[in-house]
Amino acid sequence: MRIFFLLYIISFSVYSQFQKPKVKQDTAHTLIKKEEVSKEKKTEKTSFRDKPFFDKIYFGGNANFGVGNITFISLSPLIGYQLTERISFGPGFIYSYYKNNNLRYSYHTYGVRLFARCDIIYNIYVYTEYEYLTNNLQIKNNAMFVGVGYFQPIYKRSGFMLTALYNLLYKGINDYYPSPLDIRFGFIF
């Protein structure tokens, strides 16, 4: 019995010496897979400059409304172009309708805006915008907004934005805006 046990131990040790270690084989296989995956990722990643023109375009804007004795409806879509991964700019359009039922008074306001946005860190950006407004009463208004904002992504390039702006050209009671501070909430897709 001892001889069989001794032969079994010797044969097991000889067998194990001629076997390829599984760990090294799996490691080699894993290394090959990692190299293949990294090659695929390199081919998938393209530089920002290589992106097509229309992949650098985005749309967004704001919409506001209030209904009651005073009715206020405002739409301001925008079109943006990403100049770099962090800097974008573009035009926007503004339309608003105001009606005061108590005074039987209403007007339409139209305008254009040019904006620039620079992403600073994470989802925080600085923002500037020049705006020109006129209405059917021939009242004209200029505004130069500067401020900061936060962008919350939802899916790929779309998300919500919250921006706090200050109007550098605010004129007080004769201004279109009731305050030099303007808080905006919008959507980009």
Side-chain angles (χ1 to χ4, degrees), residues 107-142:
Y107 62 88
H108 300 270
T109 302
Y110 310 91
V112 294
R113 62 181 172 164
L114 295 173
F115 73 92
R117 174 182 151 175
C118 180
D119 297 335
I120 302 297
I121 54 171
Y122 303 108
N123 299 335
I124 298 173
Y125 58 87
V126 292
Y127 186 90
T128 185
E129 173 182 296
Y130 174 76
E131 175 179 279
Y132 175 78
L133 300 173
T134 187
N135 62 22
N136 59 334
L137 304 174
Q138 302 304 317
I139 298 172
K140 296 172 178 38
N141 190 66
N142 293 314

Side-chain angles (χ1 to χ4, degrees), residues 67-131:
V67 180
N69 283 337
I70 296 176
T71 302
F72 179 77
I73 301 169
S74 175
L75 299 171
S76 55
L78 63 82
I79 301 169
Y81 175 75
Q82 276 190 288
L83 187 61
T84 68
E85 288 184 24
R86 294 178 43 197
I87 298 173
S88 62
F89 67 96
F93 308 97
I94 301 162
Y95 169 76
S96 65
Y97 171 74
Y98 176 86
K99 180 179 180 184
N100 188 326
N101 291 331
N102 295 335
L103 301 175
R104 300 187 187 269
Y105 174 75
S106 68
Y107 62 88
H108 300 270
T109 302
Y110 310 91
V112 294
R113 62 181 172 164
L114 295 173
F115 73 92
R117 174 182 151 175
C118 180
D119 297 335
I120 302 297
I121 54 171
Y122 303 108
N123 299 335
I124 298 173
Y125 58 87
V126 292
Y127 186 90
T128 185
E129 173 182 296
Y130 174 76
E131 175 179 279

Side-chain angles (χ1 to χ4, degrees), residues 137-154:
L137 304 174
Q138 302 304 317
I139 298 172
K140 296 172 178 38
N141 190 66
N142 293 314
M144 182 68 191
F145 292 102
V146 294
V148 296
Y150 178 78
F151 178 72
Q152 177 60 51
I154 298 173

Side-chain angles (χ1 to χ4, degrees), residues 25-97:
Q25 187 177 19
D26 289 341
T27 306
H29 181 69
T30 305
L31 289 174
I32 291 170
K33 283 286 188 190
K34 285 182 180 176
E35 287 175 8
E36 289 174 3
V37 169
S38 68
K39 285 179 185 175
E40 289 174 6
K41 285 183 180 178
K42 284 180 184 174
T43 56
E44 285 178 9
K45 285 185 177 179
T46 57
S47 72
F48 182 79
R49 292 178 186 233
D50 294 338
K51 283 186 175 182
F53 176 79
F54 288 106
D55 285 349
K56 296 178 184 178
I57 300 289
Y58 63 90
F59 302 92
N62 306 315
N64 304 313
F65 67 92
V67 180
N69 283 337
I70 296 176
T71 302
F72 179 77
I73 301 169
S74 175
L75 299 171
S76 55
L78 63 82
I79 301 169
Y81 175 75
Q82 276 190 288
L83 187 61
T84 68
E85 288 184 24
R86 294 178 43 197
I87 298 173
S88 62
F89 67 96
F93 308 97
I94 301 162
Y95 169 76
S96 65
Y97 171 74

